Amino acid sequence: MDLLNTLVDKGLRRELPTREEALAVLATSDDDLLDVVAAAGKVRRHWFGRRVKLNYLVNLKSGLCPEDCSYCSQRLGSKAEILKYTWLKPDEASQAAAAGVAGGAKRVCLVASGRGPTDRDVDRVAQTIAAVKEQNEGVEVCACLGLLSDGQAERLRGAGADAYNHNLNTSEATYADITKTHTYADRVDTVQKAHAAGLSACSGLIAGMGENDEDLVDVVFSLRELDADSVPVNFLIPFEGTPLAKEWNLTPQRCLRILAMARFVCPDIEVRIAGGREVHLRSLQPLALNIANSIFLGDYLTSEGQAGKDDLAMIADAGFEVEGTDQVTLPQHRVDAAAAAKGCGSHGDSGCGSHEGGGCGPCGSGETAAEAVDAPVADSNEARTDLVAVRRRGAGTDLAPNA
């Protein structure tokens, strides 16, 4: 396909595709799917080789969030039967992080539900960061605490945080349809605060919330414009007890097209398969590794993920290798550009992000085929509620995690 040849050439040159080209990727047929994956794979391997970065989530504080994000199991008014607990102590969080690091994770993502941290919360997280880094040599730490106030990003960086995650989730045009208690501009402001403080900016999206193709392209172009180092792509987990519980519109093929579009728009940026990959990609997860260069290991914030040992087996069986702590995730030109911009060395590798509520970590996303622009007929999907399991182990419980 001329389209795919053009996108590969642009990806190797770090040239931004046109919006029409990005939309055309989402409109490709299932017959062309393997060609789309192969083309995105050429761009992925050029910038990231066959490495897969593993990230591990630690939910510091679960549930009881005052925000009303429709996709989130921790939202105000959620009836989802998730774990609810207040702040983990620094040593508890460090022990939880150690399980992920032992499983191969290079980055630990510390997430807390809520609108945003108080200054006391920042102090608490600073102690947790210190405990995690003391116990786990060489580990990167990404914080995900919600909307930041002035000066808080600088304090987190001073405490040793390498990155900050805050997802845009969807396009500016449709943001008010999923959240009323804060704005799209609030989220952009927090990403910019993190970037300005010298933290590696991590920001992504949730697919499957009723958005159309234009919305998906809009949010990915916005993420490129924000110069995020990593873009987590979440797929809505339709939790029972949330407003989007009936949104089952993603297929594995649709998810692969969305990942490919993100790769073409963000060729040299860490693209992460985040929340919902097990629910929506299912047996096609290994194909997605040809597009994305990063995943979460084990469980998410409030839902169970694939067992850590199965993640590692999948990576090896697909012919990829786990990225080591001695390897730099981002291409050298991005590391150098960040160092020059900040005047303080590298601003970290890349971020986290997943969709399940809490700060803005992994939550879920979705998309109704009826509203999708030129969405193929094959993109209707049946509800797979059997694949949605609430997390009952790991952080906040007495049971071992599945890392």
Side-chain angles (χ1 to χ4, degrees):
M1 294 176 64
D2 290 342
L3 168 67
L4 297 179
N5 291 332
T6 297
L7 289 169
V8 170
D9 288 343
K10 287 187 174 183
L12 300 185
R13 298 195 304 267
R14 292 184 286 143
E15 182 180 337
L16 184 67
T18 65
R19 287 182 53 81
E20 290 71 22
E21 289 166 342
L23 285 167
V25 173
L26 297 178
T28 53
S29 71
D30 286 351
D31 289 342
D32 294 322
L33 183 63
L34 289 181
D35 292 331
V36 172
V37 172
K42 290 179 181 179
V43 178
R44 179 248 200 268
R45 289 191 300 276
H46 179 80
W47 295 114
F48 300 97
R50 302 196 70 82
R51 294 175 284 118
V52 177
K53 182 174 183 178
L54 298 182
N55 307 266
Y56 188 69
L57 287 160
V58 177
N59 198 359
L60 298 179
K61 180 168 71 77
S62 182
L64 306 176
C65 182
E67 301 299 287
D68 69 351
C69 306
S70 300
Y71 52 81
C72 183
S73 60
Q74 304 185 79
R75 72 187 298 271
L76 179 69
S78 171
K79 294 179 173 58
E81 296 179 355
I82 61 169
L83 289 170
K84 298 181 178 68
Y85 53 86
T86 190
W87 290 93
L88 297 181
K89 296 178 181 177
D91 62 326
E92 293 173 327
S94 181
Q95 290 173 16
V101 174
K106 178 178 179 178
R107 170 160 290 184
V108 171
C109 306
L110 303 176
V111 187
S113 62
R115 179 179 177 84
T118 65
D119 288 340
R120 181 182 178 187
D121 293 336
V122 172
D123 290 339
R124 190 195 318 264
V125 174
Q127 295 174 31
T128 300
I129 293 170
V132 169
K133 291 211 163 189
E134 181 179 357
Q135 184 174 346
N136 304 281
E137 184 177 356
V139 71
E140 300 170 4
V141 174
C142 178
C144 178
L145 311 173
L147 301 172
L148 293 175
S149 301
D150 290 344
Q152 290 184 328
E154 287 78 6
R155 291 175 60 197
L156 288 168
R157 185 171 188 272
D162 300 285
Y164 195 83
N165 166 254
H166 199 64
N167 295 329
L168 296 186
N169 289 330
T170 192
S171 69
E172 183 174 11
T174 58
Y175 195 83
D177 295 336
I178 64 167
T179 304
K180 304 295 185 187
T181 49
H182 61 267
T183 67
Y184 179 90
D186 290 333
R187 287 189 173 267
V188 170
D189 178 67
T190 286
V191 176
Q192 291 173 334
K193 280 185 168 70
H195 213 307
L199 291 166
S200 178
C202 170
S203 189
L205 64 140
I206 302 173
M209 296 188 293
E211 75 285 340
N212 60 30
D213 285 7
E214 294 275 357
D215 295 318
L216 289 169
V217 170
D218 281 350
V219 68
V220 175
F221 270 63
S222 294
L223 292 166
R224 162 106 180 215
E225 185 177 354
L226 280 173
D227 197 27
D229 283 330
S230 72
V231 173
V233 179
N234 296 282
F235 303 108
L236 177 67
I237 301 176
F239 277 95
E240 290 296 330
T242 65
L244 298 184
K246 304 303 180 185
E247 294 286 343
W248 287 91
N249 307 285
L250 294 172
T251 64
Q253 295 85 356
R254 174 72 170 168
C255 294
L256 288 171
R257 280 190 280 270
I258 292 168
L259 286 168
M261 184 271 288
R263 172 55 71 202
F264 290 131
V265 176
C266 305
D268 59 340
I269 293 170
E270 179 185 348
V271 174
R272 180 176 306 113
I273 319 169
R277 66 177 164 92
E278 299 89 345
V279 177
H280 296 292
L281 280 164
R282 301 192 286 274
S283 62
L284 295 193
Q285 290 182 69
L287 266 185
L289 293 176
N290 287 278
I291 304 172
N293 63 296
S294 178
I295 65 172
F296 282 105
L297 178 74
D299 290 335
Y300 301 96
L301 297 179
T302 62
S303 70
E304 290 186 358
Q306 185 166 276
K309 62 180 179 59
D310 293 334
D311 287 335
L312 297 177
M314 176 181 71
I315 291 168
D317 289 347
F320 293 89
E321 62 182 26
V322 173
E323 184 173 291
T325 56
D326 59 336
Q327 295 175 296
V328 178
T329 300
L330 295 176
Q332 192 60 44
H333 66 269
R334 287 193 64 85
V335 176
D336 292 343
K342 307 305 176 187
C344 54
S346 169
H347 68 153
D349 237 345
S350 63
C352 62
S354 115
H355 80 142
E356 277 191 76
C360 112
C363 271
S365 78
E367 175 198 20
T368 56
E371 295 177 353
V373 173
D374 296 326
V377 174
D379 278 345
S380 60
N381 199 12
E382 64 178 12
R384 289 298 305 272
T385 55
D386 58 305
L387 296 178
V388 179
V390 173
R391 180 175 70 84
R392 300 295 185 198
R393 60 197 173 200
T397 77
D398 295 326
L399 301 178
N402 76 338

